[in-house]
Amino acid sequence: MRIRLNGNDHTTTAATVRELLQEQDIDGELRGVAVALNDNVVSRSGWDSTRISDGDTIEIVKPFRGG
Amino acid sequence: MTNDPFTIAGRTFQSRLFLGTSGYPNQQSMLDALSASGAEVATVSIRRISLEGYAESMVDLLGKQWTLLPNTAGCMSAKDAILTAQLAREALETDWVKLELIGDRETLYPDVEQLVGAARQLVDDGFQVLPYCTDDPVVCQRLADAGCAAVMPLGAPIGTGIGVANPYNIELICNRSPVPVILDAGIGTASDATLAMELGCDAVLLNTAVAKALDPVLMAAAMRDAVTAGRAARHAGRIPKKDHAEASSPQMGLIGG
């Protein structure tokens, strides 16, 4: 299916947020990762159960240097 | 003053210096500067993970020694700032947020109309909001009324190193504010930080002044001392400024008198 991932068009076979992270080689155990699906934060406890649909917009973020 | 703790949103700190983590020559320099500064709070931004690779987490790097204060830097809409704050809360497991909502990318000046509205929404959502704002006493009052945990007026635009451009306004804000005042942005060198504290600020937040100094670690130490000195001077009660001289040595018993 086609989604928007971090501002870019992206094709994925992932069915859930967890699967999408795995597809992107993002270790879900790493601290500081957060995910939003269509402008709603998906908490870590919901990564396995939250499904992704065609046309969804997803943000995967982490803390970075900043003032 | 050896014991002069600073309480904000129910948390108490010994250091009145908050330090940013951006713009250092390298990671070790950033860590050394943070240590030298004595700061207990370090700011971080929230950014999209680079999908090409994943570097060490800021949480692992800094989280044990410093309290991380996430910012919404770069956001120009309330919608983006609010989502960024919510993602930060999830990522860092904190309900503190430095709310930064700018009106244009050149001056990085706060967009106060959107800022006050976003602050209100985030307060309602349970955040402890520390808004980066203008040095405008009315804006600061509106932010305090909205329930912000502090107000953070700029000394001058971010990264300019100009210092406290309008000390009269900062002092006015400090005198009237029902919440802690943290001077945030525009600090260039130690004397700027000292002045902010002398004007009555409860703390100072800076980044570029240390990170881009020729010797960031030495400047971090200078800022630590500058904040302490300014705070002590404020408490010591300075002499008033006079427009005429008044001799400090006695006028009696002068040789040749």
Side-chain angles (χ1 to χ4, degrees):
Chain A
M1 67 181 101
R2 293 188 62 75
I3 61 173
R4 287 285 287 179
L5 176 58
N6 282 0
N8 297 310
D9 289 326
H10 184 74
T11 305
T12 182
T13 54
T16 64
V17 168
R18 172 80 63 186
E19 284 178 25
L20 182 64
L21 290 170
Q22 283 165 347
E23 178 195 274
Q24 296 300 315
D25 271 328
I26 295 168
D27 179 3
E29 298 314 306
L30 265 166
R31 297 175 64 200
V33 176
V35 179
L37 170 61
N38 298 330
D39 295 339
N40 292 306
V41 172
V42 181
S43 67
R44 193 176 281 259
S45 57
W47 286 356
D48 290 317
S49 56
T50 302
R51 303 193 65 79
I52 298 174
S53 306
D54 196 62
D56 279 344
T57 297
I58 298 184
E59 300 282 351
I60 307 176
V61 300
K62 67 174 176 111
F64 203 64
R65 51 186 181 269
Chain B
M1 296 172 71
T2 47
N3 192 25
D4 178 35
F6 163 50
T7 298
I8 174 169
R11 292 198 54 186
T12 300
F13 303 99
Q14 295 305 317
S15 167
R16 291 171 178 272
L17 177 59
F18 289 14
L19 192 56
T21 57
S22 178
Y24 291 84
N26 53 64
Q27 184 174 282
Q28 192 57 50
S29 169
M30 176 189 74
L31 292 169
D32 292 342
L34 274 168
S35 296
S37 72
E40 294 164 82
V41 178
T43 54
V44 295
S45 65
I46 299 294
R47 290 286 177 265
R48 289 166 166 166
I49 283 181
S50 154
L51 299 177
E52 288 148 16
Y54 191 106
E56 191 179 3
S57 163
M58 288 291 263
V59 178
D60 293 325
L61 192 61
L62 301 176
K64 282 197 195 67
Q65 266 183 275
W66 290 280
T67 297
L68 299 184
L69 171 61
N71 68 30
T72 64
C75 289
M76 294 186 72
S77 72
K79 177 174 180 282
D80 287 345
I82 289 166
L83 179 58
T84 302
Q86 291 168 337
L87 283 163
R89 176 166 59 184
E90 171 68 17
L92 295 175
E93 297 171 60
T94 176
D95 57 8
W96 281 43
V97 64
K98 167 177 163 170
L99 179 61
E100 191 179 313
L101 233 177
I102 58 174
D104 80 73
R105 294 213 183 278
E106 200 182 308
T107 63
L108 303 177
Y109 222 70
D111 179 340
V112 298
E113 187 178 9
Q114 293 204 77
L115 178 68
V116 178
R120 216 172 266 129
Q121 276 190 258
L122 287 170
V123 168
D124 287 345
D125 192 11
F127 282 89
Q128 300 289 350
V129 180
L130 283 66
Y132 159 64
C133 61
T134 51
D135 54 356
D136 176 334
V138 173
V139 169
C140 288
Q141 187 62 53
R142 294 279 174 272
L143 290 164
D145 292 343
C148 290
V151 290
M152 307 215 293
L154 53 78
I158 296 170
T160 57
I162 286 168
V164 184
N166 193 337
Y168 304 99
N169 275 24
I170 295 297
E171 188 161 36
L172 198 58
I173 290 164
C174 290
N175 287 343
R176 294 172 165 205
S177 181
V179 296
V181 179
I182 303 175
L183 192 111
D184 177 16
I187 298 281
T189 188
S191 49
D192 300 331
T194 302
L195 176 60
M197 299 305 291
E198 286 172 354
L199 293 169
C201 290
D202 294 283
V204 169
L205 200 169
L206 56 92
N207 189 161
T208 308
V210 165
K212 296 269 165 68
L214 275 177
D215 185 341
V217 178
L218 187 54
M219 186 59 88
M223 290 299 184
R224 181 199 63 216
D225 294 343
V227 168
T228 303
R231 176 80 178 161
R234 174 82 176 176
H235 272 263
R238 62 156 298 153
I239 57 168
K241 293 190 186 182
K242 289 193 191 128
D243 57 7
H244 57 272
E246 198 173 289
S248 45
S249 307
Q251 299 301 290
M252 308 285 286
L254 285 158
I255 293 168

